[in-house]
Amino acid sequence: DQQVKQNSPSLSVQEGRISILNCDYTNSMFDYFLWYKKYPAEGPTFLISISSIKDKNEDGRFTVFLNKSAKHLSLHIVPSQPGDSAVYFCAASVDANSGYALNFGKGTSLLVTP
Amino acid sequence: DTGVSQNPRHKITKRGQNVTFRCDPISEHNRLYWYRQTLGQGPEFLTYFQNEAQLEKSRLLSDRFSAERPKGSFSTLEIQRTEQGDSAMYLCASSVPLGTSNYEQYFGPGTRLTVT
């Protein structure tokens, strides 16, 4: 069963605008959430993470928001750049301190147009 | 390059043959993970090591799959009697530098397996 869901397979945004990628999860035991970016023929690259004790984490152009009551998180990219075009994966873990596996969504393909 | 490395990058094999992949994690990381990714899906967890101990295996890891991390450094993933359904990208990741609470997993470039 898919415990992490990314319901939008693709998203197109103009350069300079905000990109918002969404992710929903079903397992209330998840306590650590991550976003990865993936280019074709490469492994996923870590972008940003958030612990369940926080509701927001920011790193440069990337901000992740967590809404635990709705079991929803989102990644905001501002401003979007053409180099941001890639597949973005949301991932979640139970008890990250114990080294539990990451559960991934199916990904959202972001296209940033000039 | 101090990232996670994987070899080979591509492997084409005939059904029924055995294949072995290697992963070299980031040197100060004590946790090592194997994932499999098929087209249109996110990576799926296969197994996990803390140092040389294999602590968790997914139900996806059938009896034909075996993984080792003999000295707590590099790891190998072997698939025996390959089947066409084994065709996928096999990803290795490592995490947790000693003495930190940084849980992000860092991925290698993957090994693309094609079983003909």
Side-chain angles (χ1 to χ4, degrees), chain A residues 1-2 32 34 36 38 41-46 49 89 96-107, chain B residues 9 31 33 35 37 40-45 48 50 56 59 89 91 102-110:
Chain A
D1 63 330
Q2 193 81 20
Y32 201 67
L34 309 90
Y36 285 84
K38 187 178 185 303
E42 294 184 10
T45 300
F46 168 72
S49 62
F89 290 97
N97 184 44
S98 298
Y100 276 60
L102 293 178
N103 295 267
F104 283 85
K106 292 187 177 183
Chain B
R9 294 291 308 274
R31 294 179 185 169
Y33 303 78
Y35 291 82
Q37 185 176 18
Q41 303 294 319
E44 296 172 291
F45 170 73
Y48 147 63
Q50 176 139 337
E56 190 177 350
R59 56 182 169 77
M89 174 76 84
L91 294 161
N102 182 351
Y103 302 121
E104 289 82 22
Q105 294 182 22
Y106 294 88
F107 284 81

Side-chain angles (χ1 to χ4, degrees), chain B residues 43-62:
Chain B
E44 296 172 291
F45 170 73
L46 292 177
T47 190
Y48 147 63
F49 291 85
Q50 176 139 337
N51 300 313
E52 65 274 11
Q54 188 173 18
L55 297 185
E56 190 177 350
K57 292 188 211 179
S58 160
R59 56 182 169 77
L60 292 176
L61 210 69
S62 76

Side-chain angles (χ1 to χ4, degrees), chain B residues 71-114:
Chain B
K71 297 182 180 179
S73 56
F74 73 91
S75 174
T76 57
L77 177 68
E78 181 183 17
I79 309 174
Q80 296 183 326
R81 305 181 303 282
T82 52
E83 301 173 356
Q84 287 188 316
D86 297 332
S87 296
M89 174 76 84
Y90 289 84
L91 294 161
C92 175
S94 68
S95 74
V96 194
L98 293 174
T100 77
S101 58
N102 182 351
Y103 302 121
E104 289 82 22
Q105 294 182 22
Y106 294 88
F107 284 81
T111 295
R112 168 73 65 189
L113 173 65
T114 302

Side-chain angles (χ1 to χ4, degrees), chain A residues 21-92:
Chain A
L21 295 99
N22 294 302
C23 177
D24 297 293
Y25 60 95
T26 57
N27 188 342
S28 57
M29 299 298 291
F30 286 146
D31 64 357
Y32 201 67
F33 304 88
L34 309 90
W35 284 94
Y36 285 84
K37 172 180 176 180
K38 187 178 185 303
Y39 294 116
E42 294 184 10
T45 300
F46 168 72
L47 273 179
I48 192 168
S49 62
I50 187 167
S51 163
S52 60
I53 63 173
K54 296 185 177 181
D55 54 19
K56 176 182 175 182
N57 189 25
E58 195 170 353
D59 183 1
R61 296 186 299 113
F62 302 92
T63 303
V64 56
F65 295 92
L66 175 62
N67 182 334
K68 290 185 290 294
S69 60
K71 295 192 179 69
H72 177 83
L73 66 158
S74 60
L75 175 68
H76 293 208
I77 306 173
V78 183
S80 301
Q81 300 173 353
D84 296 329
S85 298
V87 178
Y88 288 78
F89 290 97
C90 171

